[in-house]
Protein backbone atom coordinates (compact mmCIF):
# COMPACT_ATOMS: atom_id res chain seq x y z
CA UNK A 1 0.00 0.00 0.00
CA UNK A 2 1.29 3.52 -0.84
CA UNK A 3 2.45 5.58 2.13
CA UNK A 4 0.35 8.55 3.22
CA UNK A 5 1.56 11.92 1.96
CA UNK A 6 1.49 14.94 4.23
CA UNK A 7 -1.31 17.44 3.56
CA UNK A 8 -0.09 21.03 3.43
CA UNK A 9 -1.55 24.41 2.57
CA UNK A 10 0.05 27.13 0.45
CA UNK A 11 -1.38 30.65 0.17
CA UNK A 12 -0.47 34.31 -0.24
CA UNK A 13 -2.43 36.66 2.03
CA UNK A 14 -2.65 40.45 2.22
CA UNK A 15 -2.38 42.18 5.60
CA UNK A 16 -6.19 42.48 5.71
CA UNK A 17 -6.75 38.78 4.93
CA UNK A 18 -7.60 39.20 1.24
CA UNK A 19 -6.48 36.42 -1.13
CA UNK A 20 -8.37 37.25 -4.33
CA UNK A 21 -10.34 39.84 -6.25
CA UNK A 22 -12.75 39.20 -9.13
CA UNK A 23 -11.21 35.81 -9.87
CA UNK A 24 -7.61 37.04 -9.87
CA UNK A 25 -4.75 37.65 -7.48
CA UNK A 26 -4.88 41.32 -6.47
CA UNK A 27 -1.08 41.70 -6.71
CA UNK A 28 1.74 40.71 -9.04
CA UNK A 29 4.74 39.24 -7.22
CA UNK A 30 6.73 37.00 -9.61
CA UNK A 31 8.91 35.75 -6.73
CA UNK A 32 5.77 34.40 -5.02
CA UNK A 33 4.67 32.56 -8.16
CA UNK A 34 8.15 31.03 -8.38
CA UNK A 35 7.94 30.02 -4.70
CA UNK A 36 4.52 28.42 -5.33
CA UNK A 37 5.73 26.54 -8.40
CA UNK A 38 8.86 25.27 -6.67
CA UNK A 39 7.11 24.16 -3.48
CA UNK A 40 4.23 22.34 -5.17
CA UNK A 41 6.29 20.65 -7.91
CA UNK A 42 6.10 16.86 -7.64
CA UNK A 43 3.05 16.94 -5.36
CA UNK A 44 -0.70 17.10 -5.96
CA UNK A 45 -2.71 20.34 -5.89
CA UNK A 46 -6.33 20.35 -4.70
CA UNK A 47 -8.19 23.41 -5.94
CA UNK A 48 -11.60 24.82 -6.82
CA UNK A 49 -12.86 25.50 -10.37
CA UNK A 50 -12.19 29.27 -10.19
CA UNK A 51 -8.54 28.57 -9.35
CA UNK A 52 -8.31 26.13 -12.24
CA UNK A 53 -9.84 28.79 -14.54
CA UNK A 54 -7.38 31.42 -13.32
CA UNK A 55 -4.40 29.16 -14.05
CA UNK A 56 -6.05 28.17 -17.34
CA UNK A 57 -4.83 24.56 -17.17
CA UNK A 58 -3.47 21.81 -14.96
CA UNK A 59 0.08 22.90 -14.17
CA UNK A 60 2.86 20.61 -15.43
CA UNK A 61 5.11 18.63 -13.09
CA UNK A 62 2.45 17.87 -10.48
CA UNK A 63 -0.99 16.32 -10.13
CA UNK A 64 -4.21 18.34 -9.93
CA UNK A 65 -7.58 17.48 -8.41
CA UNK A 66 -10.44 19.96 -8.91
CA UNK A 67 -13.36 19.92 -6.45
CA UNK A 68 -16.63 20.77 -8.20
CA UNK A 69 -20.26 19.75 -7.83
CA UNK A 70 -21.08 20.96 -11.33
CA UNK A 71 -20.91 18.01 -13.78
CA UNK A 72 -20.96 20.40 -16.76
CA UNK A 73 -17.54 21.84 -15.95
CA UNK A 74 -14.47 20.26 -17.57
CA UNK A 75 -10.91 20.32 -16.22
CA UNK A 76 -8.52 18.89 -18.82
CA UNK A 77 -5.41 17.32 -17.32
CA UNK A 78 -6.94 17.17 -13.82
CA UNK A 79 -8.84 14.61 -11.78
CA UNK A 80 -12.20 15.81 -10.46
CA UNK A 81 -14.21 15.02 -7.35
CA UNK A 82 -17.36 16.48 -5.81
CA UNK A 83 -16.05 16.73 -2.24
CA UNK A 84 -12.80 17.77 -0.63
CA UNK A 85 -12.67 14.52 1.34
CA UNK A 86 -12.77 12.52 -1.88
CA UNK A 87 -10.18 14.86 -3.43
CA UNK A 88 -7.74 14.04 -0.64
CA UNK A 89 -8.30 10.30 -1.19
CA UNK A 90 -7.71 10.64 -4.93
CA UNK A 91 -4.60 12.81 -4.35
CA UNK A 92 -3.21 10.25 -1.92
CA UNK A 93 -3.54 7.56 -4.59
CA UNK A 94 -1.79 9.51 -7.37
CA UNK A 95 1.79 8.57 -8.27
CA UNK A 96 3.31 11.99 -7.42
CA UNK A 97 5.71 11.63 -4.49
CA UNK A 98 5.34 15.12 -2.97
CA UNK A 99 2.78 16.42 -0.47
CA UNK A 100 -0.91 16.96 -1.12
CA UNK A 101 -1.36 20.74 -1.41
CA UNK A 102 -4.49 22.68 -0.52
CA UNK A 103 -4.25 25.60 -2.98
CA UNK A 104 -7.60 27.43 -2.67
CA UNK A 105 -9.84 29.24 -3.15
CA UNK A 106 -11.75 30.51 -0.17
CA UNK A 107 -13.92 27.48 0.69
CA UNK A 108 -11.24 24.94 -0.14
CA UNK A 109 -8.92 26.76 2.26
CA UNK A 110 -11.59 26.96 4.98
CA UNK A 111 -12.43 23.26 4.68
CA UNK A 112 -8.90 22.05 3.96
CA UNK A 113 -6.90 23.94 6.57
CA UNK A 114 -7.98 21.68 9.48
CA UNK A 115 -6.51 18.71 7.55
CA UNK A 116 -3.10 20.35 7.09
CA UNK A 117 -0.01 19.67 9.18
CA UNK A 118 1.93 22.58 7.65
CA UNK A 119 1.07 26.01 6.27
CA UNK A 120 3.22 27.92 3.77
CA UNK A 121 1.95 31.48 3.89
CA UNK A 122 3.29 34.46 1.96
CA UNK A 123 2.35 37.42 4.13
CA UNK A 124 2.05 40.57 2.07
CA UNK A 125 2.56 43.69 4.16
CA UNK A 126 -0.15 45.81 2.55
CA UNK A 127 -3.95 45.83 2.50
CA UNK A 128 -5.69 44.99 -0.78
CA UNK A 129 -9.30 45.27 -1.92
CA UNK A 130 -10.82 41.89 -2.68
CA UNK A 131 -13.72 39.47 -2.40
CA UNK A 132 -11.99 36.30 -1.14
CA UNK A 133 -10.29 35.83 2.23
CA UNK A 134 -8.18 33.34 4.14
CA UNK A 135 -9.57 32.00 7.47
CA UNK A 136 -8.67 34.80 9.94
CA UNK A 137 -8.06 32.42 12.85
CA UNK A 138 -5.29 30.37 11.18
CA UNK A 139 -2.75 31.40 13.82
CA UNK A 140 -4.74 29.68 16.54
CA UNK A 141 -3.94 26.36 14.87
CA UNK A 142 -0.47 26.96 13.45
CA UNK A 143 1.70 28.01 16.36
CA UNK A 144 5.22 26.95 15.47
CA UNK A 145 7.12 29.19 13.03
CA UNK A 146 9.57 26.96 11.13
CA UNK A 147 11.12 29.57 8.84
CA UNK A 148 10.70 33.12 7.56
CA UNK A 149 12.31 34.74 4.52
CA UNK A 150 11.80 38.41 3.73
CA UNK A 151 11.42 39.79 0.21
CA UNK A 152 10.49 42.97 -1.67
CA UNK A 153 9.06 43.36 -5.16
CA UNK A 154 8.82 46.92 -6.50
CA UNK A 155 8.46 48.28 -2.99
CA UNK A 156 5.89 45.67 -1.93
CA UNK A 157 7.26 43.82 1.09
CA UNK A 158 6.37 40.25 1.95
CA UNK A 159 7.57 37.28 4.00
CA UNK A 160 7.58 33.63 3.04
CA UNK A 161 6.63 31.87 6.28
CA UNK A 162 6.38 28.17 7.08
CA UNK A 163 4.25 27.18 10.10
CA UNK A 164 3.58 23.86 11.78
CA UNK A 165 0.84 23.05 14.28
N1 LIG B 1 -3.72 34.32 -2.70
C1 LIG B 1 -3.68 33.02 -2.94
O1 LIG B 1 -2.74 32.31 -2.54
C2 LIG B 1 -4.81 32.40 -3.72
C3 LIG B 1 -4.83 31.02 -3.94
C4 LIG B 1 -5.91 30.49 -4.62
C5 LIG B 1 -6.89 31.31 -5.10
N2 LIG B 1 -6.81 32.65 -4.89
C6 LIG B 1 -7.87 33.55 -5.38
O2 LIG B 1 -9.13 33.05 -4.99
C7 LIG B 1 -10.08 33.30 -6.03
C8 LIG B 1 -10.63 31.95 -6.54
O3 LIG B 1 -11.15 31.23 -5.47
P1 LIG B 1 -12.71 31.11 -5.18
O4 LIG B 1 -12.87 30.97 -3.73
O5 LIG B 1 -13.43 32.23 -5.86
O6 LIG B 1 -13.10 29.83 -6.01
P2 LIG B 1 -12.68 28.28 -6.04
O7 LIG B 1 -12.48 27.73 -4.69
O8 LIG B 1 -11.62 28.05 -7.05
O9 LIG B 1 -14.00 27.75 -6.65
C9 LIG B 1 -15.23 27.89 -5.92
C10 LIG B 1 -16.10 26.76 -6.36
O10 LIG B 1 -15.48 25.55 -5.95
C11 LIG B 1 -16.45 24.56 -5.80
N3 LIG B 1 -16.28 24.13 -4.42
C12 LIG B 1 -15.63 24.79 -3.45
N4 LIG B 1 -15.63 24.10 -2.31
C13 LIG B 1 -16.26 22.96 -2.57
C14 LIG B 1 -16.59 21.84 -1.81
N5 LIG B 1 -16.26 21.75 -0.54
N6 LIG B 1 -17.27 20.84 -2.39
C15 LIG B 1 -17.61 20.94 -3.66
N7 LIG B 1 -17.32 21.98 -4.46
C16 LIG B 1 -16.67 22.98 -3.92
C17 LIG B 1 -17.76 25.23 -6.12
O11 LIG B 1 -17.90 25.11 -7.53
P3 LIG B 1 -19.01 24.26 -8.34
O12 LIG B 1 -20.14 25.19 -8.56
O13 LIG B 1 -18.32 23.88 -9.60
O14 LIG B 1 -19.36 23.09 -7.48
C18 LIG B 1 -17.47 26.67 -5.82
O15 LIG B 1 -18.33 27.55 -6.50
C19 LIG B 1 -9.35 34.05 -7.11
O16 LIG B 1 -9.49 35.44 -6.91
C20 LIG B 1 -7.91 33.62 -6.89
O17 LIG B 1 -6.99 34.58 -7.37
C21 LIG B 1 -5.80 33.19 -4.21
Amino acid sequence: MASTKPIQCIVAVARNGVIGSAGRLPWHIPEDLEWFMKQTEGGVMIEGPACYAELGKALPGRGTVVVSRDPAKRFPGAERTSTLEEAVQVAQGMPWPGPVWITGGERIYAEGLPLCSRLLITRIHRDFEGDRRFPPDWQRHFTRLVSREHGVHEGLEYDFEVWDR
Side-chain angles (χ1 to χ4, degrees):
M1 199 176 85
S3 61
T4 305
K5 301 164 195 165
I7 306 173
Q8 305 188 4
C9 179
I10 185 163
V11 65
V13 183
R15 190 171 54 192
N16 58 349
V18 163
I19 59 166
S21 176
R24 308 291 300 269
L25 292 175
W27 46 78
H28 177 63
I29 307 177
E31 295 86 346
D32 186 53
L33 297 177
E34 276 169 40
W35 164 257
F36 175 89
M37 292 298 284
K38 185 173 147 216
Q39 296 296 332
T40 56
E41 188 169 17
V44 180
M45 291 170 46
I46 296 180
E47 66 186 8
C51 295
Y52 182 93
E54 186 186 10
L55 296 167
K57 60 181 180 184
L59 296 177
R62 71 216 65 212
T64 303
V65 184
V66 180
V67 186
S68 170
R69 294 196 175 98
D70 182 349
K73 290 181 188 159
R74 293 281 173 267
F75 310 106
E79 300 291 328
R80 65 174 302 149
T81 67
S82 54
T83 67
L84 180 64
E85 199 182 8
E86 196 192 335
V88 170
Q89 276 175 22
V90 168
Q92 288 290 0
M94 289 171 84
W96 299 93
V100 173
W101 291 98
I102 301 294
T103 63
E106 190 175 74
R107 247 171 70 195
I108 301 285
Y109 281 138
E111 272 188 50
L113 203 56
L115 310 176
C116 295
S117 55
R118 174 164 280 196
L119 168 66
L120 276 64
I121 182 166
T122 304
R123 301 180 80 173
I124 300 168
H125 300 296
R126 196 184 288 172
D127 294 347
F128 279 85
E129 301 234 335
D131 49 21
R132 295 291 183 275
R133 286 172 187 269
F134 196 63
D137 62 346
W138 67 267
Q139 254 177 317
R140 278 179 43 210
H141 310 289
F142 293 87
T143 54
R144 204 161 68 79
L145 181 64
V146 177
S147 65
R148 174 183 285 143
E149 190 187 324
H150 188 67
V152 188
H153 177 74
E154 294 182 349
L156 183 55
E157 296 196 47
Y158 56 87
D159 283 296
F160 294 128
E161 293 181 355
V162 177
W163 290 82
D164 281 349
R165 283 182 181 275

